[in-house]
Amino acid sequence: MTEVLILGAGYAGLRTLKILQQSHTDFHITLVDQNNYHYEATDLHELATGNQPKERILYNISDVIKPDKTTFIQGEVVNINRDDKNVSLKDGKKLSYDYLVVSLGFESESFGIDGVEENALEMVNIDSAESVQKHILARMEDYRESKNPDDLKIVVCGAGFTGIELLGALHEATPKLAKTAGVDPKEIQLYCVEAVTRLLPMFDEKLAGWGIDKLKSWGINFLTGKPIKAIKPNTVVYEDDAETGTTSELKANTIIWTTGVRGSHVMNDSGFSQRRGRVMVKADLTDPDFANVYILGDVSAVMDEESKRPYPTTAQIAIAMGTQAAENIENQLNNKPTSPFKFKSLGSVASIGNTQAFGLVGKTPVRGYPASVVKKGIMDRSLFELGGTKEVMSKGRFDFYH
Ligand code: NAD
């Protein structure tokens, strides 16, 4: 029987699976993921700050598997051999395929900056987000003995969407953290060090400024136009003056690295023609050299013909790619032509805490509490597209937790 192999149960992979499972065409699907759960990558900051338990941002893959159509294998992909049409797992298993969907997701990008891996915390999956939370709590507990103000200092490196949402969530977590440390919440210091001065370039200056000013009004300190040059133990080293190259140091016992992501290392390891783990795919989302290989989500770069730049890597786009790939595979199986990927953004909204957000819905700017409601709607829609109503009912964000 024709075999469709899906690598990765993130937004793109699960969406492909969900649509393909509804097909009446005769084929079998195998889904591989290193975990037996899917996690909401867009919500990792909630786990990292302790605002939500991990159970609220992950769900079991078995809940979306239809056993008559799909087999799930828990395993780590180490190599993809497109010539021989097989995939190797770390435990030595080899899986053959007729059609392949590569949706292996993202990793933290250090840009080769010294000391990042050793001295900064990343926040890219459930385990690393949980480690951030444990680290922050441990430093707060240390403070009760040490009285060292660096135990109460948290630096977020990079003010992209991830950094901004993390800062908002950290601010929200401050009262609880202050209680743990036995201090006034004002004694907890939050910093953000960012290379550029014009933040969040996907928004106009007024909208981006609204969000940053809100965070500043909560006491968050921004050092902008300060590229980070190295991370030393408990110290961020940044360029203070571009002309002279002078550097300064910011000491803190919690340093979180959110300066951008790259696609899975498996792409490079398997000889794909890639840049930072992303492969430039054809308009129908297939590999330029293999019409039976689809590359989706954070390991994929697809050209937006309107802006003449690749689409950004977001959950929304990954889900849309999954839908298109599933339709195209179904067409190929029925000897019909594939269609090009088209994307119409619902908008992009950054949450800053549970009740504030800012961003664009279509082309309309939204900010404040109404924006946070829109954001929850976007998140619930993605949950619905992946899992179905059951997930939205049990995890949907209509039940405010404050
Ligand atoms: P990003 O690349 O969007 O932002 C990284 C930030 O770090 C940039 O502002 C960059 O200037 C800064 N930076 C890079 N190197 C630096 C250095 N050496 N020193 C200091 N600052 C440095 O990365 P991200 O925020 O992780 O987002 C990744 C993708 O995920 C983006 O496409 C983003 O839009 C998407 N995302 C979307 C949402 C949402 O829709 N709500 C949330 C999170 C992420």
Side-chain angles (χ1 to χ4, degrees), residues 32-270:
V32 180
D33 196 286
Q34 57 198 355
N35 303 311
N36 60 4
Y37 56 79
H38 161 87
Y39 65 92
E40 288 191 69
T42 52
D43 255 0
L44 287 173
H45 57 275
E46 293 288 347
L47 173 60
T49 51
N51 289 338
Q52 286 205 42
K54 73 174 169 194
E55 291 70 28
R56 279 190 71 100
I57 73 160
L58 54 83
Y59 61 91
N60 293 330
I61 289 172
S62 59
D63 288 349
V64 278
I65 296 286
K66 285 191 175 162
D68 54 332
K69 188 105 185 162
T70 306
T71 306
F72 171 62
I73 295 178
Q74 188 173 352
E76 188 183 330
V77 174
V78 289
N79 195 266
I80 297 165
N81 184 334
R82 288 166 293 168
D83 291 321
D84 294 346
K85 294 202 273 187
N86 65 45
V87 167
S88 304
L89 306 187
K90 198 172 181 181
D91 63 8
K93 257 193 214 103
K94 228 173 216 180
L95 307 170
S96 299
Y97 62 82
D98 299 297
Y99 291 89
L100 179 69
V101 176
V102 187
S103 44
L104 286 167
F106 69 101
E107 295 171 359
S108 182
E109 172 64 284
S110 70
F111 300 103
I113 294 171
D114 249 14
V116 170
E117 272 117 32
E118 301 83 346
N119 303 317
L121 300 162
E122 49 178 48
M123 191 187 69
V124 290
N125 51 33
I126 292 289
D127 289 347
S128 55
E130 232 181 353
S131 299
V132 170
Q133 192 205 340
K134 285 187 184 142
H135 181 98
I136 292 173
L137 278 178
R139 295 299 75 75
M140 297 292 154
E141 271 155 22
D142 286 351
Y143 177 79
R144 289 203 262 181
E145 288 274 304
S146 71
K147 301 293 174 213
N148 175 0
D150 291 350
D151 281 329
L152 301 183
K153 226 192 243 180
I154 302 174
V155 182
V156 172
C157 303
F161 256 62
T162 308
I164 293 297
E165 291 197 318
L166 176 61
L167 287 162
L170 279 167
H171 168 73
E172 192 159 273
T174 310
K176 212 162 67 187
L177 296 173
K179 208 168 164 198
T180 310
V183 297
D184 180 334
K186 289 195 189 73
E187 286 186 65
I188 295 178
Q189 299 179 60
L190 302 179
Y191 278 85
C192 179
V193 183
E194 161 61 51
V196 302
T197 48
R198 168 68 174 93
L199 306 183
L200 303 173
M202 67 295 270
F203 299 149
D204 68 28
E205 280 194 53
K206 200 170 152 206
L207 183 59
W210 185 90
I212 303 300
D213 287 348
K214 181 63 102 188
L215 291 169
K216 285 183 181 166
S217 76
W218 292 340
I220 296 170
N221 305 288
F222 278 86
L223 302 178
T224 57
K226 312 282 183 203
I228 295 167
K229 293 294 175 190
I231 307 284
K232 295 202 278 194
N234 300 325
T235 308
V236 176
V237 183
Y238 59 89
E239 188 178 77
D240 211 5
D241 184 332
E243 266 175 40
T244 59
T246 322
T247 57
S248 294
E249 295 190 345
L250 176 63
K251 293 214 165 287
N253 287 353
T254 303
I255 299 169
I256 310 169
W257 190 251
T258 58
T259 62
V261 294
R262 49 168 295 128
S264 165
H265 64 278
V266 173
M267 307 313 281
N268 184 31
D269 295 353
S270 304

Side-chain angles (χ1 to χ4, degrees), residues 56 354-355 369 372-373 376 396-402:
R56 279 190 71 100
N354 189 39
T355 56
Y369 177 74
S372 76
V373 176
K376 290 178 177 80
R397 279 134 184 95
F398 295 113
D399 53 334
F400 287 53
Y401 47 88
H402 284 288

